[in-house]
Amino acid sequence: MILLAVILIFTVFPFYYAILTSFESGSELFTVEYWFSSFDLANYRSVLSQESFLQSIWNSVFVSFSTVVIAMAFGLTAAYALGRVQFRGRGAVLMIVLSVSMFPQVAVLSGLFEVIRAMNLYNDPLALIFSYTIFTLPFTVWILTTFMRQLPKELEEAAIVDGASPLTTLFRVFIPLMWPAMATTGLLAFIAAWNEFLFALTFTLTNSERTVPVAIALITGGSQHELPWGNLMAASVIVTVPLVVLVLIFQRRIVSGLTAGAVKG
Amino acid sequence: MTHSTPAPAETEALGTSPTASSPARRRPSRVHRQRLRAAWLFLIPMLLVLAAVAGWPLLRTIWFSFTDASFASISEYNWVGLDNYLVYDDGMWFGVLADPAWWQSVWNTLFFTVVSVGLETVLGLIIALTLNAQFRGRGLIRAATLIPWAVPTIVSAKMWGWMLHDQFGIINDMLLTLGIIAEPLNWTANADLSMWAVIMVDVWKTTPFMALLTLAALQMLPSDCYEAAKVDGIHPVRVFFKVTLPLILPALMVAIIFRVLDALRVFDVIYVLTSNSEDTMSMSVYARQQLVQFQDVGYGSAASTVLFLIIALLTITYLYLGRKQIGGES
């Protein structure tokens, strides 16, 4: 029982403390409190009244959502080919996909910067959508392939007998069965894109183009000791609460998705 | 690799579909050929996208590492050969491999990787073993362990940055109250402590991932050998080391290697928590600093290429060793 309490405190406490701090203001911030003493919404008002913060939330939503849609479109067709068809070179394709997902992001930074400049997308959220496919696509292909292989082959055989083309088979037979897997994968890809920092920091320059993680990382005060901790914690809570709620709702699915991606391969 | 050797039953059933009634089982049927063509048509868009976002940029990065390109004018550069890596000039060695700050970052990254992945594995195992038991509210605690995983790394770095604040941080307050320390510690700025602060944040954030993967492996274990062990009255600790650990070791190793590869490219926790301090600078932070802050694309690309080679080598080793295991299913 004690062990359980320790685990619970260990995992939940920092987030709890961030929420607690976000409701404090003025001198309260500079006395350490363990329980809620006030519910002052001033920090939230101050953060949400900044136009650039709202804009960066919108940028994050737009970038993450688009990234998921693109990863799904390319990932589903590829997963169908990799999961359901036996062909020469299939192992090699899977290895390429897996190796790309292990790339250190910094290793493509200068090359990607050049591509983005050539496409005239520097300091544009579209550059982030483009660059995020480097990690969302391999991961989507990998997980969807795992799920795709688990579907019974009789369904597909029936479709083939009926003379359905592979594209029809994919859309009419598999995609309807894949919804749970797609929701899981989509959510994981969304979280990965929402949390991404290195590319967002490097490929955007102005406040209005930034995503939320970069906006939070760049909140500064007059000096290191004058950081507006109340605002910072309020912003952090705003950015994290939707994710935590989603994760808690879909927790079973997420666990199965994570294990499908990592353990079973 | 083993993915290309599927279960024979599957190939046969799909390769010679019911429409192909010819006795020549080896010859691919029309349906099979159509499926093969469709498979490649389905794969090519994905492969093209990966080539555009990963393959080509990687080749360009390696190319830049042999040039003196700068961030501001990336299209004008001269070939400089290996100068960015290592060059002997006027009695001195220059280049990434001669830079003490680079070697410091290599050491920092390795130290961070070994310590944090080690702690995460042990803590993850403890949490997984606890959650593997049947009790009320297990689902609740399992859900709670997902919270740190869901919190963006930047946010967790800021949250911990606040908790570890030298004057107003709750960690110092707790330690002072408990009498463990006599005066507040400056966690993120003190050279001896900052790496531990980074490790603390990383352990908090990724232990749940470890715990969940370990838990998944634990739940796949057969229960009969435990019943046998119970009947024989073998001590639980002994059962753990003799039965449980060997059985979950393959899955645990995959999780560990995933985490190691992740930890070797660590960037955001360190960048946000301790910015460009050399005491905690990782290889990724070093490379990005050269690239963006110092605008030296050639030099930064050389550092990135070295990091890529290290990770590539480990990935290849992992793929080679994990071959049997990855393809082990179905």
Side-chain angles (χ1 to χ4, degrees), chain A residues 62-93:
Chain A
F62 170 67
V63 168
S64 310
F65 194 75
S66 313
T67 308
V68 170
V69 171
I70 290 171
M72 278 296 161
F74 290 104
L76 267 175
T77 47
Y80 172 72
L82 290 169
R84 309 301 305 185
V85 185
Q86 306 299 334
F87 59 90
R88 261 171 180 292
R90 180 168 158 272
V93 173

PDB file of all heavy atoms in Angstrom, chain A residues 62-93:
ATOM      1  N   PHE A  62      -3.350  23.083 -35.459  1.00  0.00           N
ATOM      2  CA  PHE A  62      -3.308  22.963 -36.922  1.00  0.00           C
ATOM      3  C   PHE A  62      -2.190  22.014 -37.367  1.00  0.00           C
ATOM      4  O   PHE A  62      -2.420  21.081 -38.143  1.00  0.00           O
ATOM      5  CB  PHE A  62      -3.118  24.364 -37.525  1.00  0.00           C
ATOM      6  CG  PHE A  62      -2.812  24.378 -38.996  1.00  0.00           C
ATOM      7  CD1 PHE A  62      -3.757  23.962 -39.924  1.00  0.00           C
ATOM      8  CD2 PHE A  62      -1.578  24.809 -39.454  1.00  0.00           C
ATOM      9  CE1 PHE A  62      -3.486  23.978 -41.276  1.00  0.00           C
ATOM     10  CE2 PHE A  62      -1.289  24.828 -40.812  1.00  0.00           C
ATOM     11  CZ  PHE A  62      -2.248  24.403 -41.717  1.00  0.00           C
ATOM     12  N   VAL A  63      -0.993  22.235 -36.833  1.00  0.00           N
ATOM     13  CA  VAL A  63       0.158  21.413 -37.230  1.00  0.00           C
ATOM     14  C   VAL A  63      -0.066  19.952 -36.817  1.00  0.00           C
ATOM     15  O   VAL A  63       0.093  19.036 -37.631  1.00  0.00           O
ATOM     16  CB  VAL A  63       1.459  21.966 -36.607  1.00  0.00           C
ATOM     17  CG1 VAL A  63       2.599  20.975 -36.753  1.00  0.00           C
ATOM     18  CG2 VAL A  63       1.826  23.293 -37.246  1.00  0.00           C
ATOM     19  N   SER A  64      -0.469  19.729 -35.567  1.00  0.00           N
ATOM     20  CA  SER A  64      -0.609  18.347 -35.087  1.00  0.00           C
ATOM     21  C   SER A  64      -1.700  17.620 -35.859  1.00  0.00           C
ATOM     22  O   SER A  64      -1.527  16.469 -36.260  1.00  0.00           O
ATOM     23  CB  SER A  64      -0.955  18.329 -33.597  1.00  0.00           C
ATOM     24  OG  SER A  64      -0.065  19.135 -32.899  1.00  0.00           O
ATOM     25  N   PHE A  65      -2.823  18.303 -36.068  1.00  0.00           N
ATOM     26  CA  PHE A  65      -3.936  17.662 -36.759  1.00  0.00           C
ATOM     27  C   PHE A  65      -3.549  17.308 -38.199  1.00  0.00           C
ATOM     28  O   PHE A  65      -3.776  16.191 -38.652  1.00  0.00           O
ATOM     29  CB  PHE A  65      -5.151  18.594 -36.723  1.00  0.00           C
ATOM     30  CG  PHE A  65      -6.420  17.913 -37.110  1.00  0.00           C
ATOM     31  CD1 PHE A  65      -7.042  17.039 -36.232  1.00  0.00           C
ATOM     32  CD2 PHE A  65      -6.992  18.123 -38.355  1.00  0.00           C
ATOM     33  CE1 PHE A  65      -8.207  16.389 -36.593  1.00  0.00           C
ATOM     34  CE2 PHE A  65      -8.157  17.478 -38.720  1.00  0.00           C
ATOM     35  CZ  PHE A  65      -8.762  16.609 -37.840  1.00  0.00           C
ATOM     36  N   SER A  66      -2.935  18.263 -38.893  1.00  0.00           N
ATOM     37  CA  SER A  66      -2.543  17.997 -40.285  1.00  0.00           C
ATOM     38  C   SER A  66      -1.522  16.869 -40.367  1.00  0.00           C
ATOM     39  O   SER A  66      -1.579  16.028 -41.265  1.00  0.00           O
ATOM     40  CB  SER A  66      -1.938  19.244 -40.923  1.00  0.00           C
ATOM     41  OG  SER A  66      -2.730  20.354 -40.668  1.00  0.00           O
ATOM     42  N   THR A  67      -0.588  16.869 -39.406  1.00  0.00           N
ATOM     43  CA  THR A  67       0.421  15.816 -39.398  1.00  0.00           C
ATOM     44  C   THR A  67      -0.239  14.447 -39.280  1.00  0.00           C
ATOM     45  O   THR A  67       0.139  13.508 -39.978  1.00  0.00           O
ATOM     46  CB  THR A  67       1.394  16.027 -38.220  1.00  0.00           C
ATOM     47  OG1 THR A  67       1.880  17.357 -38.274  1.00  0.00           O
ATOM     48  CG2 THR A  67       2.553  15.074 -38.289  1.00  0.00           C
ATOM     49  N   VAL A  68      -1.235  14.351 -38.400  1.00  0.00           N
ATOM     50  CA  VAL A  68      -1.930  13.069 -38.209  1.00  0.00           C
ATOM     51  C   VAL A  68      -2.623  12.651 -39.504  1.00  0.00           C
ATOM     52  O   VAL A  68      -2.524  11.497 -39.928  1.00  0.00           O
ATOM     53  CB  VAL A  68      -2.938  13.166 -37.045  1.00  0.00           C
ATOM     54  CG1 VAL A  68      -3.821  11.931 -36.997  1.00  0.00           C
ATOM     55  CG2 VAL A  68      -2.210  13.339 -35.735  1.00  0.00           C
ATOM     56  N   VAL A  69      -3.316  13.586 -40.144  1.00  0.00           N
ATOM     57  CA  VAL A  69      -4.046  13.256 -41.377  1.00  0.00           C
ATOM     58  C   VAL A  69      -3.075  12.730 -42.441  1.00  0.00           C
ATOM     59  O   VAL A  69      -3.320  11.702 -43.075  1.00  0.00           O
ATOM     60  CB  VAL A  69      -4.826  14.489 -41.902  1.00  0.00           C
ATOM     61  CG1 VAL A  69      -5.389  14.228 -43.284  1.00  0.00           C
ATOM     62  CG2 VAL A  69      -5.928  14.849 -40.925  1.00  0.00           C
ATOM     63  N   ILE A  70      -1.944  13.420 -42.598  1.00  0.00           N
ATOM     64  CA  ILE A  70      -0.970  12.997 -43.610  1.00  0.00           C
ATOM     65  C   ILE A  70      -0.372  11.632 -43.263  1.00  0.00           C
ATOM     66  O   ILE A  70      -0.291  10.741 -44.110  1.00  0.00           O
ATOM     67  CB  ILE A  70       0.137  14.065 -43.746  1.00  0.00           C
ATOM     68  CG1 ILE A  70      -0.455  15.310 -44.410  1.00  0.00           C
ATOM     69  CG2 ILE A  70       1.311  13.541 -44.554  1.00  0.00           C
ATOM     70  CD1 ILE A  70       0.458  16.495 -44.409  1.00  0.00           C
ATOM     71  N   ALA A  71      -0.001  11.470 -42.007  1.00  0.00           N
ATOM     72  CA  ALA A  71       0.592  10.191 -41.590  1.00  0.00           C
ATOM     73  C   ALA A  71      -0.396   9.051 -41.812  1.00  0.00           C
ATOM     74  O   ALA A  71      -0.024   7.964 -42.250  1.00  0.00           O
ATOM     75  CB  ALA A  71       1.018  10.260 -40.126  1.00  0.00           C
ATOM     76  N   MET A  72      -1.677   9.304 -41.546  1.00  0.00           N
ATOM     77  CA  MET A  72      -2.708   8.276 -41.739  1.00  0.00           C
ATOM     78  C   MET A  72      -2.865   7.926 -43.212  1.00  0.00           C
ATOM     79  O   MET A  72      -2.947   6.761 -43.576  1.00  0.00           O
ATOM     80  CB  MET A  72      -4.057   8.795 -41.225  1.00  0.00           C
ATOM     81  CG  MET A  72      -4.217   8.665 -39.758  1.00  0.00           C
ATOM     82  SD  MET A  72      -4.222   6.926 -39.320  1.00  0.00           S
ATOM     83  CE  MET A  72      -3.836   7.105 -37.617  1.00  0.00           C
ATOM     84  N   ALA A  73      -2.936   8.951 -44.062  1.00  0.00           N
ATOM     85  CA  ALA A  73      -3.167   8.719 -45.485  1.00  0.00           C
ATOM     86  C   ALA A  73      -2.056   7.856 -46.076  1.00  0.00           C
ATOM     87  O   ALA A  73      -2.322   6.846 -46.738  1.00  0.00           O
ATOM     88  CB  ALA A  73      -3.261  10.054 -46.219  1.00  0.00           C
ATOM     89  N   PHE A  74      -0.815   8.226 -45.810  1.00  0.00           N
ATOM     90  CA  PHE A  74       0.302   7.453 -46.367  1.00  0.00           C
ATOM     91  C   PHE A  74       0.519   6.160 -45.582  1.00  0.00           C
ATOM     92  O   PHE A  74       0.930   5.159 -46.137  1.00  0.00           O
ATOM     93  CB  PHE A  74       1.585   8.288 -46.351  1.00  0.00           C
ATOM     94  CG  PHE A  74       1.579   9.417 -47.337  1.00  0.00           C
ATOM     95  CD1 PHE A  74       1.372  10.722 -46.919  1.00  0.00           C
ATOM     96  CD2 PHE A  74       1.766   9.169 -48.693  1.00  0.00           C
ATOM     97  CE1 PHE A  74       1.363  11.769 -47.833  1.00  0.00           C
ATOM     98  CE2 PHE A  74       1.758  10.215 -49.613  1.00  0.00           C
ATOM     99  CZ  PHE A  74       1.555  11.515 -49.182  1.00  0.00           C
ATOM    100  N   GLY A  75       0.252   6.241 -44.273  1.00  0.00           N
ATOM    101  CA  GLY A  75       0.515   5.090 -43.404  1.00  0.00           C
ATOM    102  C   GLY A  75      -0.443   3.930 -43.642  1.00  0.00           C
ATOM    103  O   GLY A  75      -0.032   2.775 -43.659  1.00  0.00           O
ATOM    104  N   LEU A  76      -1.717   4.231 -43.849  1.00  0.00           N
ATOM    105  CA  LEU A  76      -2.702   3.152 -44.016  1.00  0.00           C
ATOM    106  C   LEU A  76      -2.439   2.338 -45.270  1.00  0.00           C
ATOM    107  O   LEU A  76      -2.457   1.109 -45.234  1.00  0.00           O
ATOM    108  CB  LEU A  76      -4.116   3.736 -44.084  1.00  0.00           C
ATOM    109  CG  LEU A  76      -4.876   3.815 -42.773  1.00  0.00           C
ATOM    110  CD1 LEU A  76      -6.195   4.534 -42.990  1.00  0.00           C
ATOM    111  CD2 LEU A  76      -5.139   2.421 -42.208  1.00  0.00           C
ATOM    112  N   THR A  77      -2.206   3.011 -46.393  1.00  0.00           N
ATOM    113  CA  THR A  77      -1.971   2.274 -47.631  1.00  0.00           C
ATOM    114  C   THR A  77      -0.682   1.449 -47.502  1.00  0.00           C
ATOM    115  O   THR A  77      -0.661   0.270 -47.854  1.00  0.00           O
ATOM    116  CB  THR A  77      -1.853   3.233 -48.831  1.00  0.00           C
ATOM    117  OG1 THR A  77      -0.978   4.295 -48.484  1.00  0.00           O
ATOM    118  CG2 THR A  77      -3.192   3.806 -49.205  1.00  0.00           C
ATOM    119  N   ALA A  78       0.353   2.086 -46.940  1.00  0.00           N
ATOM    120  CA  ALA A  78       1.616   1.361 -46.786  1.00  0.00           C
ATOM    121  C   ALA A  78       1.443   0.179 -45.838  1.00  0.00           C
ATOM    122  O   ALA A  78       1.962  -0.913 -46.094  1.00  0.00           O
ATOM    123  CB  ALA A  78       2.697   2.305 -46.267  1.00  0.00           C
ATOM    124  N   ALA A  79       0.687   0.387 -44.755  1.00  0.00           N
ATOM    125  CA  ALA A  79       0.496  -0.698 -43.788  1.00  0.00           C
ATOM    126  C   ALA A  79      -0.290  -1.849 -44.413  1.00  0.00           C
ATOM    127  O   ALA A  79      -0.044  -3.016 -44.119  1.00  0.00           O
ATOM    128  CB  ALA A  79      -0.213  -0.171 -42.544  1.00  0.00           C
ATOM    129  N   TYR A  80      -1.217  -1.513 -45.287  1.00  0.00           N
ATOM    130  CA  TYR A  80      -1.965  -2.568 -45.976  1.00  0.00           C
ATOM    131  C   TYR A  80      -1.006  -3.423 -46.807  1.00  0.00           C
ATOM    132  O   TYR A  80      -0.998  -4.654 -46.723  1.00  0.00           O
ATOM    133  CB  TYR A  80      -3.046  -1.946 -46.869  1.00  0.00           C
ATOM    134  CG  TYR A  80      -3.723  -2.955 -47.759  1.00  0.00           C
ATOM    135  CD1 TYR A  80      -4.604  -3.891 -47.237  1.00  0.00           C
ATOM    136  CD2 TYR A  80      -3.463  -2.983 -49.130  1.00  0.00           C
ATOM    137  CE1 TYR A  80      -5.219  -4.828 -48.054  1.00  0.00           C
ATOM    138  CE2 TYR A  80      -4.073  -3.918 -49.950  1.00  0.00           C
ATOM    139  CZ  TYR A  80      -4.947  -4.841 -49.405  1.00  0.00           C
ATOM    140  OH  TYR A  80      -5.527  -5.762 -50.209  1.00  0.00           O
ATOM    141  N   ALA A  81      -0.145  -2.734 -47.577  1.00  0.00           N
ATOM    142  CA  ALA A  81       0.815  -3.466 -48.410  1.00  0.00           C
ATOM    143  C   ALA A  81       1.759  -4.299 -47.538  1.00  0.00           C
ATOM    144  O   ALA A  81       2.021  -5.463 -47.842  1.00  0.00           O
ATOM    145  CB  ALA A  81       1.607  -2.482 -49.262  1.00  0.00           C
ATOM    146  N   LEU A  82       2.229  -3.708 -46.443  1.00  0.00           N
ATOM    147  CA  LEU A  82       3.216  -4.407 -45.613  1.00  0.00           C
ATOM    148  C   LEU A  82       2.583  -5.481 -44.739  1.00  0.00           C
ATOM    149  O   LEU A  82       3.216  -6.481 -44.411  1.00  0.00           O
ATOM    150  CB  LEU A  82       3.950  -3.403 -44.723  1.00  0.00           C
ATOM    151  CG  LEU A  82       4.902  -2.462 -45.447  1.00  0.00           C
ATOM    152  CD1 LEU A  82       5.348  -1.345 -44.517  1.00  0.00           C
ATOM    153  CD2 LEU A  82       6.112  -3.231 -45.955  1.00  0.00           C
ATOM    154  N   GLY A  83       1.338  -5.260 -44.355  1.00  0.00           N
ATOM    155  CA  GLY A  83       0.713  -6.190 -43.428  1.00  0.00           C
ATOM    156  C   GLY A  83      -0.021  -7.328 -44.107  1.00  0.00           C
ATOM    157  O   GLY A  83      -0.187  -8.403 -43.536  1.00  0.00           O
ATOM    158  N   ARG A  84      -0.503  -7.114 -45.331  1.00  0.00           N
ATOM    159  CA  ARG A  84      -1.368  -8.105 -45.955  1.00  0.00           C
ATOM    160  C   ARG A  84      -0.805  -8.766 -47.199  1.00  0.00           C
ATOM    161  O   ARG A  84      -1.366  -9.765 -47.656  1.00  0.00           O
ATOM    162  CB  ARG A  84      -2.721  -7.463 -46.329  1.00  0.00           C
ATOM    163  CG  ARG A  84      -3.401  -6.725 -45.235  1.00  0.00           C
ATOM    164  CD  ARG A  84      -3.714  -7.556 -44.037  1.00  0.00           C
ATOM    165  NE  ARG A  84      -4.499  -8.744 -44.314  1.00  0.00           N
ATOM    166  CZ  ARG A  84      -4.956  -9.556 -43.370  1.00  0.00           C
ATOM    167  NH1 ARG A  84      -4.720  -9.292 -42.110  1.00  0.00           N
ATOM    168  NH2 ARG A  84      -5.633 -10.618 -43.696  1.00  0.00           N
ATOM    169  N   VAL A  85       0.216  -8.171 -47.805  1.00  0.00           N
ATOM    170  CA  VAL A  85       0.717  -8.745 -49.056  1.00  0.00           C
ATOM    171  C   VAL A  85       2.135  -9.257 -48.824  1.00  0.00           C
ATOM    172  O   VAL A  85       2.934  -8.594 -48.159  1.00  0.00           O
ATOM    173  CB  VAL A  85       0.709  -7.687 -50.189  1.00  0.00           C
ATOM    174  CG1 VAL A  85       1.101  -8.323 -51.508  1.00  0.00           C
ATOM    175  CG2 VAL A  85      -0.653  -7.032 -50.302  1.00  0.00           C
ATOM    176  N   GLN A  86       2.394 -10.439 -49.344  1.00  0.00           N
ATOM    177  CA  GLN A  86       3.753 -10.962 -49.251  1.00  0.00           C
ATOM    178  C   GLN A  86       4.484 -10.628 -50.527  1.00  0.00           C
ATOM    179  O   GLN A  86       4.026 -10.990 -51.594  1.00  0.00           O
ATOM    180  CB  GLN A  86       3.723 -12.489 -49.085  1.00  0.00           C
ATOM    181  CG  GLN A  86       2.866 -12.965 -47.943  1.00  0.00           C
ATOM    182  CD  GLN A  86       3.323 -12.447 -46.613  1.00  0.00           C
ATOM    183  OE1 GLN A  86       4.498 -12.132 -46.444  1.00  0.00           O
ATOM    184  NE2 GLN A  86       2.407 -12.332 -45.669  1.00  0.00           N
ATOM    185  N   PHE A  87       5.580  -9.925 -50.430  1.00  0.00           N
ATOM    186  CA  PHE A  87       6.327  -9.620 -51.652  1.00  0.00           C
ATOM    187  C   PHE A  87       7.793  -9.503 -51.300  1.00  0.00           C
ATOM    188  O   PHE A  87       8.174  -9.316 -50.147  1.00  0.00           O
ATOM    189  CB  PHE A  87       5.807  -8.326 -52.291  1.00  0.00           C
ATOM    190  CG  PHE A  87       5.899  -7.122 -51.400  1.00  0.00           C
ATOM    191  CD1 PHE A  87       7.031  -6.332 -51.410  1.00  0.00           C
ATOM    192  CD2 PHE A  87       4.857  -6.808 -50.532  1.00  0.00           C
ATOM    193  CE1 PHE A  87       7.116  -5.230 -50.590  1.00  0.00           C
ATOM    194  CE2 PHE A  87       4.949  -5.712 -49.700  1.00  0.00           C
ATOM    195  CZ  PHE A  87       6.083  -4.928 -49.728  1.00  0.00           C
ATOM    196  N   ARG A  88       8.604  -9.624 -52.316  1.00  0.00           N
ATOM    197  CA  ARG A  88      10.050  -9.483 -52.156  1.00  0.00           C
ATOM    198  C   ARG A  88      10.381  -8.071 -51.711  1.00  0.00           C
ATOM    199  O   ARG A  88       9.823  -7.125 -52.235  1.00  0.00           O
ATOM    200  CB  ARG A  88      10.719  -9.666 -53.506  1.00  0.00           C
ATOM    201  CG  ARG A  88      11.295 -11.007 -53.758  1.00  0.00           C
ATOM    202  CD  ARG A  88      11.688 -11.020 -55.230  1.00  0.00           C
ATOM    203  NE  ARG A  88      12.269 -12.270 -55.631  1.00  0.00           N
ATOM    204  CZ  ARG A  88      13.446 -12.712 -55.223  1.00  0.00           C
ATOM    205  NH1 ARG A  88      14.185 -12.001 -54.413  1.00  0.00           N
ATOM    206  NH2 ARG A  88      13.895 -13.876 -55.637  1.00  0.00           N
ATOM    207  N   GLY A  89      11.289  -7.943 -50.785  1.00  0.00           N
ATOM    208  CA  GLY A  89      11.714  -6.614 -50.363  1.00  0.00           C
ATOM    209  C   GLY A  89      10.864  -6.045 -49.248  1.00  0.00           C
ATOM    210  O   GLY A  89      11.093  -4.947 -48.781  1.00  0.00           O
ATOM    211  N   ARG A  90       9.882  -6.827 -48.790  1.00  0.00           N
ATOM    212  CA  ARG A  90       9.010  -6.350 -47.720  1.00  0.00           C
ATOM    213  C   ARG A  90       9.803  -6.142 -46.421  1.00  0.00           C
ATOM    214  O   ARG A  90       9.665  -5.114 -45.745  1.00  0.00           O
ATOM    215  CB  ARG A  90       7.903  -7.373 -47.506  1.00  0.00           C
ATOM    216  CG  ARG A  90       6.923  -7.046 -46.437  1.00  0.00           C
ATOM    217  CD  ARG A  90       5.745  -7.984 -46.539  1.00  0.00           C
ATOM    218  NE  ARG A  90       5.044  -8.061 -45.282  1.00  0.00           N
ATOM    219  CZ  ARG A  90       5.367  -8.927 -44.330  1.00  0.00           C
ATOM    220  NH1 ARG A  90       6.352  -9.768 -44.508  1.00  0.00           N
ATOM    221  NH2 ARG A  90       4.705  -8.936 -43.209  1.00  0.00           N
ATOM    222  N   GLY A  91      10.669  -7.110 -46.135  1.00  0.00           N
ATOM    223  CA  GLY A  91      11.508  -6.980 -44.942  1.00  0.00           C
ATOM    224  C   GLY A  91      12.389  -5.745 -45.015  1.00  0.00           C
ATOM    225  O   GLY A  91      12.546  -5.022 -44.031  1.00  0.00           O
ATOM    226  N   ALA A  92      12.930  -5.501 -46.216  1.00  0.00           N
ATOM    227  CA  ALA A  92      13.808  -4.344 -46.380  1.00  0.00           C
ATOM    228  C   ALA A  92      13.041  -3.050 -46.142  1.00  0.00           C
ATOM    229  O   ALA A  92      13.534  -2.148 -45.460  1.00  0.00           O
ATOM    230  CB  ALA A  92      14.410  -4.357 -47.782  1.00  0.00           C
ATOM    231  N   VAL A  93      11.807  -2.966 -46.671  1.00  0.00           N
ATOM    232  CA  VAL A  93      11.008  -1.758 -46.470  1.00  0.00           C
ATOM    233  C   VAL A  93      10.736  -1.553 -44.978  1.00  0.00           C
ATOM    234  O   VAL A  93      10.878  -0.444 -44.442  1.00  0.00           O
ATOM    235  CB  VAL A  93       9.683  -1.824 -47.264  1.00  0.00           C
ATOM    236  CG1 VAL A  93       8.791  -0.645 -46.908  1.00  0.00           C
ATOM    237  CG2 VAL A  93       9.953  -1.837 -48.757  1.00  0.00           C
TER     238      VAL A  93
END
